[in-house]
Structures are given as C-alpha cells and as structure tokens.
Amino acid sequence: MRKNFLGIAAIVMALSASAFTAPNRSNAKLVTYKWFQITANRTTDQSVPASGATYLGESETPPTGSGCNNLSNRQCVSGFTAAQVTGSNQLDGPQVPEAIAATRN
C-alpha cells in the first residue's frame, strides 16, 4: 500500500504543478510597418499624400518622430504596409495609414 501511495502522490503533484503553469504566448505575431513622419496636416482618418510623408524606417515598433506631442488628432508618425509604399520608400499615391503611432497639434 505504501508503494502505491508514493506513486499516486507523485502523479497528483505533477498534475497540480502543470495546472497552474502560465500558458506560452510566444505565438503572437507583430506586424512590420514602414514608418513615415507626416508633414501634411492630416487627421488620423485622412489619407496622406506622398509629398506629405518622410520615410523613417521599417520595424515592428514605431520610431520616435520629431514634433510629436500626442495632444491632438493630427498624424505625426504613421505606419503603412509594404503594398502602400513604392520600392524607393515613397507612398504610392495618397494612402490611409494602417497604424498611427504618434499625433501632434
């Protein structure tokens, strides 16, 4: 009886420990955007002309823009998909951003 008790106790402890283990969340995918400093006076829901955007780089996290204060709804740093940008890192015509990282007055 004592031999069986130790085996059962070990199994119960193993199941108890695995029941309270945090799930692995590493399968969350981050999206890579092409980030632009927006110089055109556009609200967050308006499209941006190619002449009103300066390329900052491509990454999963937005770069820090200049003059951004997040006090209004004017675009300051916005992210676009590769399909919205030409090979020379210019907006392919007026585009509505996929992500807005910072705003300004």
Side-chain angles (χ1 to χ4, degrees):
M1 179 74 178
R2 191 176 283 198
K3 203 190 298 185
N4 290 338
F5 177 73
L6 291 175
I8 292 172
I11 291 171
V12 169
M13 287 175 53
L15 289 174
S16 297
S18 67
F20 297 104
T21 304
N24 185 359
R25 302 229 188 258
S26 64
N27 61 353
K29 252 185 155 179
L30 295 175
V31 178
T32 299
Y33 289 113
K34 292 186 180 261
W35 297 99
F36 288 82
Q37 175 81 42
I38 307 302
T39 56
N41 193 21
R42 298 288 193 247
T43 60
T44 55
D45 59 345
Q46 290 180 310
S47 64
V48 177
S51 61
T54 304
Y55 183 69
L56 297 175
E58 182 176 355
S59 70
E60 295 172 344
T61 56
T64 304
S66 61
C68 302
N69 54 25
N70 292 321
L71 296 176
S72 185
N73 68 339
R74 303 283 179 201
Q75 295 180 45
C76 190
V77 174
S78 297
F80 299 85
T81 63
Q84 295 175 293
V85 179
T86 65
S88 59
N89 292 322
Q90 299 293 318
L91 291 182
D92 191 14
Q95 298 288 336
V96 175
E98 291 292 320
I100 297 174
T103 58
R104 63 179 166 77
N105 284 343

